[in-house]
Amino acid sequence: EVISDILAITGYSTTDLFHQPPFKLRDEDTTFEAVVEKLYETPFYPVAEHMHYIDDEGPAFDRGRFILKQLATLSLENATFCDLGFGPGVLTALILQTKPNWQGHGVDISHACCDYAQKLLQRKGVANRCQLRVADFRSLPYPDNAFDLIVGMEVFEHIPQPEIGLREALRTLKSRGYAITALPVQLPLKMHLYVFESVDEILDLHRSTGLQVIDFQAKEYGLGKKKGTDTFALSIKETS
């Protein structure tokens, strides 16, 4: 299904899909603006991100599994959620398909991702219940207390100061609203402008920003010659 979705959205042939040039971030491309220009705004970036979901044992697929687990426990009938850094839109579509009475919003810094994700939502038949925007999630175009749920799966490590992004996200979350997040540990990719050194550091980030973690998982993955740990959390925004 992943491959058929990608081919339908892009018009690529299978040969085209598997013969794209590699991304080339240079050592000096260390600013958020440089990563946006050299990586996130390239036409193939959302495709490459979508392809991660082919591996049903990989971290991308497990993000979807974790979200589905949490959606099954949340007693929210007509909720509004926001997906931060939605990328190809796979998880946004998953939530909307699972919760047919919910309304969605999403922000991503990439015009390429926004265009791609909109097409994916249309293909899945859920675009009429979601509004996607190009925006920096450190300055969200939403009022305070707008959402019942925020989703940030592998996004906060892409900015130099994750706490700033998480606090801004929580500004838009209702009191006692929920946050579903995923963050990697010791995964120093060039696109990761902040590297979390331990699981404890991630838990401390949640607590320091006013989140009470109510479900937490950590899982180790082999990433080529490297190993990395992904963490998944369901949290609730504490009242001030």
Side-chain angles (χ1 to χ4, degrees), residues 11 25 37 41 43 46 74 91 99 124 134 153 171 177 238:
L25 281 179
E37 178 185 354
E41 287 292 12
L74 300 181
L91 299 178
K99 294 290 188 179
K124 299 299 183 181
V134 176
M153 307 303 278
R171 176 187 66 76
E238 297 178 331

Side-chain angles (χ1 to χ4, degrees), residues 141-159:
Y142 305 112
D144 297 353
N145 308 309
F147 302 113
D148 301 287
L149 169 70
I150 57 170
V151 178
M153 307 303 278
E154 296 263 355
V155 294
F156 296 109
E157 72 276 12
H158 290 260
I159 57 176

Side-chain angles (χ1 to χ4, degrees), residues 122-136:
Q122 290 169 350
R123 180 169 168 79
K124 299 299 183 181
V126 295
N128 63 317
R129 290 189 287 118
C130 190
Q131 182 180 19
L132 303 179
R133 299 188 188 189
V134 176
D136 188 329

Side-chain angles (χ1 to χ4, degrees), residues 186-233:
Q186 294 184 357
L187 190 59
L189 304 178
K190 288 182 180 178
M191 70 176 76
H192 291 175
L193 302 182
Y194 187 91
V195 177
F196 291 94
E197 295 297 333
S198 68
V199 169
D200 285 342
E201 184 183 2
I202 289 173
L203 288 169
D204 287 344
L205 172 66
H206 285 74
R207 297 187 189 107
S208 68
T209 52
L211 285 172
Q212 177 188 354
V213 177
I214 54 181
D215 189 13
F216 187 83
Q217 298 176 13
K219 182 176 178 180
E220 187 175 274
Y221 299 90
L223 302 169
K225 296 181 179 179
K226 298 179 181 179
K227 286 187 177 181
T229 297
D230 230 353
T231 68
F232 309 90

Side-chain angles (χ1 to χ4, degrees), residues 101-122:
N101 293 326
W102 285 20
Q103 297 293 319
H105 292 262
V107 297
D108 200 287
I109 196 68
S110 165
H111 291 81
C113 284
C114 195
D115 291 345
Y116 185 96
Q118 187 65 40
K119 292 175 183 176
L120 181 65
L121 297 187
Q122 290 169 350

Side-chain angles (χ1 to χ4, degrees), residues 1-230:
E1 185 178 359
V2 171
I3 296 297
S4 62
D5 284 343
I6 292 171
L7 297 181
I9 291 169
T10 62
Y12 288 158
S13 68
T14 305
T15 301
D16 293 336
L17 182 60
F18 291 99
H19 290 84
Q20 293 293 321
F23 299 117
K24 292 184 179 180
L25 281 179
R26 300 173 300 177
D27 289 341
E28 58 267 32
D29 294 329
T30 58
T31 66
F32 183 67
E33 292 73 18
V35 177
V36 170
E37 178 185 354
K38 303 286 182 63
L39 182 61
Y40 303 148
E41 287 292 12
T42 57
F44 193 66
Y45 177 73
V47 179
E49 290 297 295
H50 196 170
M51 289 178 70
H52 289 313
Y53 291 87
I54 295 172
D55 181 6
D56 62 5
E57 297 298 325
F61 207 92
D62 278 346
R63 290 170 215 151
R65 286 194 183 101
F66 187 81
I67 286 174
L68 288 177
K69 173 188 173 184
Q70 305 309 328
L71 293 184
T73 69
L74 300 181
S75 56
L76 299 171
E77 289 300 321
N78 297 290
T80 302
F81 74 93
C82 186
D83 190 359
L84 306 170
F86 52 75
V90 174
L91 299 178
T92 318
L94 178 67
I95 296 170
L96 291 164
Q97 289 175 305
T98 306
K99 294 290 188 179
N101 293 326
W102 285 20
Q103 297 293 319
H105 292 262
V107 297
D108 200 287
I109 196 68
S110 165
H111 291 81
C113 284
C114 195
D115 291 345
Y116 185 96
Q118 187 65 40
K119 292 175 183 176
L120 181 65
L121 297 187
Q122 290 169 350
R123 180 169 168 79
K124 299 299 183 181
V126 295
N128 63 317
R129 290 189 287 118
C130 190
Q131 182 180 19
L132 303 179
R133 299 188 188 189
V134 176
D136 188 329
F137 63 80
R138 294 172 294 185
S139 180
L140 291 169
Y142 305 112
D144 297 353
N145 308 309
F147 302 113
D148 301 287
L149 169 70
I150 57 170
V151 178
M153 307 303 278
E154 296 263 355
V155 294
F156 296 109
E157 72 276 12
H158 290 260
I159 57 176
Q161 296 173 298
E163 183 175 344
I164 291 176
L166 185 53
R167 287 190 182 278
E168 171 64 359
L170 295 181
R171 176 187 66 76
T172 69
L173 183 63
K174 296 176 182 177
S175 178
R176 308 301 292 173
Y178 294 95
I180 301 177
T181 52
L183 290 166
V185 178
Q186 294 184 357
L187 190 59
L189 304 178
K190 288 182 180 178
M191 70 176 76
H192 291 175
L193 302 182
Y194 187 91
V195 177
F196 291 94
E197 295 297 333
S198 68
V199 169
D200 285 342
E201 184 183 2
I202 289 173
L203 288 169
D204 287 344
L205 172 66
H206 285 74
R207 297 187 189 107
S208 68
T209 52
L211 285 172
Q212 177 188 354
V213 177
I214 54 181
D215 189 13
F216 187 83
Q217 298 176 13
K219 182 176 178 180
E220 187 175 274
Y221 299 90
L223 302 169
K225 296 181 179 179
K226 298 179 181 179
K227 286 187 177 181
T229 297
D230 230 353

